[in-house]
């Protein structure tokens, strides 16, 4: 068995992904390549200093937000070019080509269709020889298997009403899919029916209420070709930070060694965004199937006060329903915390600000 040395060698080349927004928040992700056999998909860079410089005036600094992610928020002039500068440590510096801001046209509409195998979500747009990169973020509402109205109070050894609803949660997901399009081949500039998302049949995303927000980011032809190459290379691998089979072009250069490989393409412009909601009643019949709850049952045992601490005092056990005989509560049965607390599946009970505005 022959294993080429290049597969296990860690070169640690820079990987950069980001879009500089003229208005609002800009995010840049920095990391280094890892070996194909590495358990990590990215080695994040946390010791970088990142600046954006204007060709006429102004300088803006990005701040480290989380592992490998740098962010900046503000409004930038649209009548000048920009250059990104990345300083890593004391001796490693990268600069981008000068970038001319692009302005995105309005998104003309979003719609969905209910098909036999699920729900498809699409976008319509228009532009004059524009190239676009679309990114999406999903949010959906979901419920746990059982809604616990009561909880155990260990200080009084009694069952009391629960103050917070832990049955209803909201899950958020940035998909990371690379969705590209161009109006260059359309005489009218129309872009019709760009597929943004496929939601398979029985997905819990559509079990109650679902929302998708799309960002329409204008890019130039070189960026379009870069992302198209990334899309083809990562269809089976994941994203830009996954191991890649070949080096790709970039508009970032290492100072003092312009032939040094860099992976990534930075663009700048003013994006447009739009949100679509899909209600459960609009896609009925739909039966959400959640395998995480397959084990959930309401145990029939009737627990009385002298048993509360032994059962309800355990973190994995939750108060179930009251057992009533002759009009009075004689005890409680029980279920399990991972069947009642929706937060254990990655969501939050905090409702997004926009949820009731649509």
């Amino acid at each position: 068995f022959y294993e080429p040395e290049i597969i296990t060698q860690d070169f640690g080349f820079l990987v950069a992904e980001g879009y500089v927004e003229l208005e609002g928040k800009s995010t840049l992700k920095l990391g280094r390549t890892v070996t194909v056999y590495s358990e990590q998909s990215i080695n994040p860079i946390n010791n970088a200093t990142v600046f954006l410089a204007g060709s006429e005036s102004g300088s803006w600094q990005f701040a480290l937000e989380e592992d490998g992610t740098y962010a900046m928020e503000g409004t930038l002039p649209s009548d000048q070019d920009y250059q990104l500068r990345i300083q890593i440590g004391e001796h490693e510096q990268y600069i981008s080509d000068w970038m001319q801001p692009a302005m995105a046209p309005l998104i003309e509409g979003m719609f969905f269709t209910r098909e036999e195998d699920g729900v498809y979500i699409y976008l319509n747009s228009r532009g004059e020889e524009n190239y676009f990169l679309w990114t999406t973020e999903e949010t959906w509402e979901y419920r746990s298997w059982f809604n616990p109205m009561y909880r155990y109070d260990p200080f009084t050894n009694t069952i009391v009403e629960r103050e917070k609803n832990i049955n209803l949660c909201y899950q958020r997901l940035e998909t990371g899919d690379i969705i590209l399009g161009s109006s260059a081949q359309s005489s009218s500039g129309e872009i019709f029916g760009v597929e943004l998302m496929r939601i398979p049949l029985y997905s819990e995303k559509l079990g109650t209420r679902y929302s998708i927000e799309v960002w329409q980011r204008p890019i130039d032809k070189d960026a379009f070709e870069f992302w198209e190459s990334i899309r083809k290379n990562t269809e089976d691998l994941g994203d830009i930070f996954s191991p890649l089979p070949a080096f790709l072009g970039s508009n970032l250069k290492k100072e003092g060694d312009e032939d040094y490989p860099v992976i990534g393409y930075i663009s700048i412009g003013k994006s447009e965004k739009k949100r679509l909601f899909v209600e459960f009643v609009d896609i009925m019949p739909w039966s959400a199937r959640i395998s995480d709850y397959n084990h959930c049952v309401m145990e029939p045992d009737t627990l009385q006060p002298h048993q509360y601490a032994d059962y309800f005092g355990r973190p994995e056990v939750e108060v179930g329903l009251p057992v009533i005989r002759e009009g009075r509560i004689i005890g409680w049965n029980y279920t399990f915390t991972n069947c009642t607390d929706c937060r254990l599946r990655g969501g939050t009970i905090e409702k997004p600000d926009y949820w009731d505005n649509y």
Side-chain angles (χ1 to χ4, degrees):
F1 176 73
Y2 170 68
E3 181 178 282
E5 182 180 352
I6 191 171
I7 290 179
T8 57
Q9 188 172 352
D10 185 0
F11 291 100
F13 296 131
L14 176 68
V15 183
E17 177 190 356
Y19 193 93
V20 179
E21 295 284 355
L22 292 183
E23 296 180 6
K25 185 176 181 179
S26 303
T27 302
L28 177 69
K29 295 181 180 180
L30 298 179
R32 295 191 187 276
T33 56
V34 296
T35 65
V36 173
Y37 293 147
S38 173
E39 294 182 359
Q40 290 181 294
S41 63
I42 176 179
N43 183 12
I45 296 173
N46 295 326
N47 65 332
T49 303
V50 182
F51 279 96
L52 182 73
S55 59
E56 301 298 327
S57 63
S59 178
W60 298 263
Q61 184 171 1
F62 286 70
L64 182 65
E65 190 174 60
E66 55 183 295
D67 255 6
T69 301
Y70 297 78
M72 175 195 73
E73 193 153 3
T75 301
L76 306 175
S78 61
D79 58 352
Q80 64 175 352
D81 294 345
Y82 292 88
Q83 185 180 63
L84 192 71
R85 300 172 183 174
I86 303 169
Q87 179 77 40
I88 304 173
E90 295 183 3
H91 307 293
E92 193 177 357
Q93 184 167 339
Y94 299 83
I95 58 173
S96 74
D97 298 335
W98 285 99
M99 302 175 289
Q100 183 178 19
M103 311 297 284
L106 292 175
I107 298 171
E108 295 198 341
M110 297 172 68
F111 63 98
F112 66 90
T113 62
R114 170 73 154 85
E115 308 292 344
E116 290 186 0
D117 60 344
V119 169
Y120 291 63
I121 298 174
Y122 302 95
L123 170 145
N124 294 338
S125 190
R126 181 188 298 271
E128 296 181 3
E129 298 188 1
N130 289 122
Y131 295 92
F132 298 109
L133 171 66
W134 290 285
T135 58
T136 59
E137 179 181 287
E138 300 174 284
T139 308
W140 62 93
E141 189 177 84
Y142 69 95
R143 295 182 182 274
S144 57
W145 177 80
F146 175 71
N147 184 9
M149 304 296 292
Y150 300 89
R151 66 174 179 84
Y152 171 62
D153 184 348
F155 298 103
T156 61
N157 194 45
T158 58
I159 308 301
V160 299
E161 288 190 10
R162 185 177 292 278
E163 298 84 2
K164 279 186 176 181
N165 179 359
I166 60 171
N167 165 251
L168 179 64
C169 276
Y170 303 87
Q171 181 76 271
R172 172 181 164 271
L173 177 66
E174 294 182 16
T175 62
D177 294 340
I178 300 172
I179 309 170
L180 298 165
S182 169
S183 59
Q185 296 178 343
S186 170
S187 58
S188 63
E190 287 185 326
I191 302 176
F192 180 77
V194 176
E195 184 182 303
L196 298 177
M197 187 67 57
R198 296 184 187 184
I199 303 176
L201 201 62
Y202 309 127
S203 169
E204 73 165 314
K205 291 181 181 181
L206 296 176
T208 305
R209 195 178 195 219
Y210 169 88
S211 170
I212 182 170
E213 187 171 35
V214 60
W215 281 262
Q216 179 168 269
R217 294 192 162 103
I219 56 178
D220 60 28
K221 186 177 180 181
D222 289 340
F224 179 87
E225 292 174 351
F226 168 83
W227 284 110
E228 178 64 11
S229 297
I230 288 288
R231 185 190 65 79
K232 291 177 179 177
N233 279 334
T234 59
E235 280 181 341
D236 298 323
L237 294 172
D239 56 26
I240 186 174
F241 292 103
S242 298
L244 299 175
F247 286 113
L248 304 159
S250 174
N251 65 340
L252 288 165
K253 302 288 191 298
K254 185 177 183 180
E255 282 204 324
D257 188 357
E258 293 193 354
D259 294 327
Y260 190 82
V262 178
I263 298 172
Y265 206 102
I266 309 300
S267 298
I268 185 169
K270 182 180 181 298
S271 299
E272 289 291 338
K273 62 182 180 179
K274 197 172 185 67
R275 183 179 296 278
L276 173 74
F277 274 89
V278 181
E279 307 289 349
F280 173 74
V281 295
D282 296 330
I283 47 98
M284 291 175 62
W286 190 276
S287 177
R289 298 179 181 178
I290 306 173
S291 59
D292 289 349
Y293 297 148
N294 287 347
H295 72 286
C296 292
V297 294
M298 190 66 66
E299 296 294 342
D301 299 348
T302 300
L303 303 181
Q304 297 181 356
H306 69 277
Q307 298 173 294
Y308 287 174
D310 289 340
Y311 282 82
F312 297 139
R314 290 183 282 168
E316 71 273 15
V317 175
E318 195 65 70
V319 176
L321 296 169
V323 179
I324 300 175
R325 295 286 186 273
E326 298 180 354
R328 68 183 185 89
I329 298 176
I330 64 169
W332 296 78
N333 57 22
Y334 65 95
T335 185
F336 304 98
T337 306
N338 55 14
C339 300
T340 62
D341 191 345
C342 60
R343 297 171 296 182
L344 297 179
R345 300 186 60 239
T348 174
I349 61 174
E350 303 301 324
K351 183 187 296 185
D353 295 338
Y354 55 81
W355 202 251
D356 293 329
N357 296 332
Y358 286 80

